[in-house]
Amino acid sequence: MNERGSSVPTVTECSMPGAQEDGYMLVKSKDAETPSSRLKAAKVDSRPWVDQEVQDDTELEQREDEGDDWVDRSEEQDIPHVPYSAMRYPEETMVERSKEFYRLLNQRRTVRLISPEPVPREVIDNVILTAGTAPSGAHTEPWTFVVVSDPEMKHQIRQIVEEEEEVNYRQRMGDKWVKDLAKLRTNWIKDYLDVAPYLILIFKQTYGILPNNKKKTHYYNEISVSIASGILLAALQNVGLVTVTSTPLNCGPQLRLLLKRPANEKLLMLLPVGYPAPDATVPELERKPLEDIVVHI
Ligand SMILES: NC(=O)C1=CN([C@@H]2O[C@H](COP(=O)(O)OP(=O)(O)OC[C@H]3O[C@@H](n4cnc5c(N)ncnc54)[C@H](OP(=O)(O)O)[C@@H]3O)[C@@H](O)[C@H]2O)C=CC1
Ligand SMILES: Cc1cc2nc3c(=O)[nH]c(=O)nc-3n(C[C@H](O)[C@H](O)[C@H](O)COP(=O)(O)O)c2cc1C
Ligand SMILES: N[C@@H](Cc1ccc(O)c(Cl)c1)C(=O)O
């Protein structure tokens, strides 16, 4: 393998215990070689180099089950291009606005003690609309925001999450993981899943399904939905609400089924949303200074 990553991880079809209706998962394996992996390797080798961590494998992986059920992009209609104009501020105003926005977002904290106080539904709709302004690969908008306010449904979500997180903390993840998280004083008990007025479950659509049932490639879907999620966090901060950017390990498939979401959707994160509880505390964390996060060239 050369340094620029031309060695391609092979892909094996295998049965996935306890998982989806699809019955397949892609497993990276160094040794196994199958016709599809050879095809994939050949395709990848003919492409320009991209960092393996960020390369868009979306289409390659999906074309494993290539068939007539994928839409041909060339069938899509051309659209008009229209003039664009942006707000233009004097430089001093730009500096002031950039500081002001930084001050706002620098106050954002993950708050794990959330008040049960109701939050207007319209505010939740607006922050989700804001998240939906995110850029997305080929403008595929590969996100679904499931908003849960029903107490019984919230409780069922809590039961799934607590059951899996208990396994994560007690055995699945091991000592290093538990030690790395210790400063946050988290555990598998997730009161906020019952208490927060809203739970927003953010799903990435790994591919799209058109009205004619053909599948559509959702390029860079995880990156696109992650950007939308970041914008959602900023929008929540803007209205004085708090959340926990939570990634409940191994809960995705169960939560998808509970919420009756289709098989093309995978849970990306679960955000309990509300006002902070009056007695909420947060760990006294520091953020890296500018010189540690920027390189000017
Ligand atoms: N594991 C990761 O790389 C990432 C995880 N997350 C989030 O972290 C949390 C834990 O993630 P993870 O450990 O992957 O656990 P999940 O609970 O999301 O998934 C467990 C396993 O099931 C697979 N799976 C989930 N949904 C589907 C679906 N609709 N169709 C087919 N396979 C599916 C996943 O595949 P697969 O590994 O292909 O996703 C994974 O192997 C979740 O909230 C998840 O959304 C967020 C970003 C990346
Ligand atoms: C991708 C990602 C996954 C996270 N997963 C969890 C999680 O599962 N549970 C949790 O309590 N916090 C989770 N967090 C929140 C982090 O613990 C938190 O962002 C970090 O401690 C910094 O604190 P701050 O958000 O207050 O700046 C996650 C954050 C990110 C960005
Ligand atoms: N999901 C667990 C553990 C956890 C906690 C905090 C984190 O920042 C991360 Cl990445 C994981 C939990 O919610 O307790």
Side-chain angles (χ1 to χ4, degrees), residues 16-26 61 164-165 168 172-173 202-204 206-207 222 226 246-256 261-270:
M16 181 164 64
Q20 296 63 50
E21 296 135 24
D22 320 15
Y24 289 102
M25 90 187 263
L26 298 176
E61 291 183 359
E164 289 297 332
E165 290 283 30
N168 296 333
R172 195 180 279 136
M173 295 307 291
I202 306 179
F203 288 83
K204 60 175 184 183
T206 54
Y207 55 88
E222 180 159 326
S226 301
S246 84
T247 44
L249 197 64
N250 231 36
C251 297
Q254 288 179 77
L255 293 176
R256 177 177 73 79
R261 299 311 307 161
N264 63 322
E265 294 187 2
K266 288 189 189 181
L267 183 71
L268 192 72
M269 52 187 79
L270 191 173

Side-chain angles (χ1 to χ4, degrees), residues 118-162:
V119 167
R121 164 75 192 271
E122 191 181 355
V123 173
I124 299 300
D125 287 344
N126 287 337
V127 295
I128 290 174
L129 270 176
T130 308
T133 65
S136 59
H139 189 53
T140 45
E141 303 171 281
W143 38 69
T144 304
F145 301 90
V146 178
V147 180
V148 179
S149 54
D150 175 63
E152 178 51 31
M153 186 58 88
K154 286 195 289 183
H155 191 64
Q156 287 185 48
I157 291 172
R158 177 176 180 175
Q159 284 176 324
I160 290 172
V161 171
E162 288 190 341

Side-chain angles (χ1 to χ4, degrees), residues 40-282:
K40 186 171 174 180
K43 281 186 189 167
V44 171
D45 280 345
S46 67
R47 298 191 309 165
W49 175 80
V50 281
D51 188 321
Q52 297 246 323
E53 290 296 314
V54 293
Q55 75 180 2
D56 185 16
D57 277 343
T58 320
E59 204 173 17
L60 274 174
E61 291 183 359
Q62 287 171 350
R63 297 293 158 142
E64 291 272 309
D65 66 356
E66 199 154 18
D68 284 346
D69 49 350
W70 286 89
V71 75
D72 180 354
R73 286 234 140 199
S74 61
E75 289 168 21
E76 281 190 347
Q77 284 192 334
D78 195 14
I79 54 165
H81 281 210
V82 293
Y84 174 78
S85 59
M87 281 298 294
R88 177 92 197 214
Y89 304 102
E91 285 186 2
E92 316 81 76
T93 313
M94 289 171 72
V95 170
E96 198 38 54
R97 286 177 67 96
S98 62
K99 279 189 191 158
E100 207 39 60
F101 194 58
Y102 165 61
R103 272 195 286 271
L104 174 70
L105 289 200
N106 195 29
Q107 283 161 23
R108 185 207 55 77
R109 293 303 311 272
T110 293
V111 179
R112 300 180 175 87
L113 210 58
I114 296 181
S115 159
E117 199 182 334
V119 167
R121 164 75 192 271
E122 191 181 355
V123 173
I124 299 300
D125 287 344
N126 287 337
V127 295
I128 290 174
L129 270 176
T130 308
T133 65
S136 59
H139 189 53
T140 45
E141 303 171 281
W143 38 69
T144 304
F145 301 90
V146 178
V147 180
V148 179
S149 54
D150 175 63
E152 178 51 31
M153 186 58 88
K154 286 195 289 183
H155 191 64
Q156 287 185 48
I157 291 172
R158 177 176 180 175
Q159 284 176 324
I160 290 172
V161 171
E162 288 190 341
E163 192 172 314
E164 289 297 332
E165 290 283 30
E166 182 167 2
V167 181
N168 296 333
Y169 276 90
R170 285 194 190 276
Q171 58 200 57
R172 195 180 279 136
M173 295 307 291
D175 286 351
K176 181 181 181 308
W177 188 82
V178 173
K179 278 196 199 120
D180 286 347
L181 294 176
K183 62 177 175 293
L184 303 177
R185 300 193 198 160
T186 52
N187 60 31
W188 57 87
I189 311 291
K190 301 297 178 192
D191 289 331
Y192 55 66
L193 294 176
D194 272 325
V195 173
Y198 295 101
L199 306 181
I200 304 180
L201 291 96
I202 306 179
F203 288 83
K204 60 175 184 183
Q205 299 167 0
T206 54
Y207 55 88
I209 303 169
L210 297 173
N212 63 4
N213 272 334
K214 286 208 171 189
K215 292 178 183 172
K216 177 178 141 182
T217 304
H218 278 178
Y219 299 96
Y220 293 106
N221 55 76
E222 180 159 326
I223 297 178
S224 304
V225 184
S226 301
I227 295 171
S229 303
I231 293 176
L232 199 153
L233 296 182
L236 289 173
Q237 179 66 14
N238 185 48
V239 294
L241 294 174
V242 295
T243 190
V244 183
T245 309
S246 84
T247 44
L249 197 64
N250 231 36
C251 297
Q254 288 179 77
L255 293 176
R256 177 177 73 79
L257 291 176
L258 175 70
L259 299 168
K260 299 190 169 52
R261 299 311 307 161
N264 63 322
E265 294 187 2
K266 288 189 189 181
L267 183 71
L268 192 72
M269 52 187 79
L270 191 173
L271 307 181
V273 173
Y275 298 102
D279 53 342
T281 60
V282 293

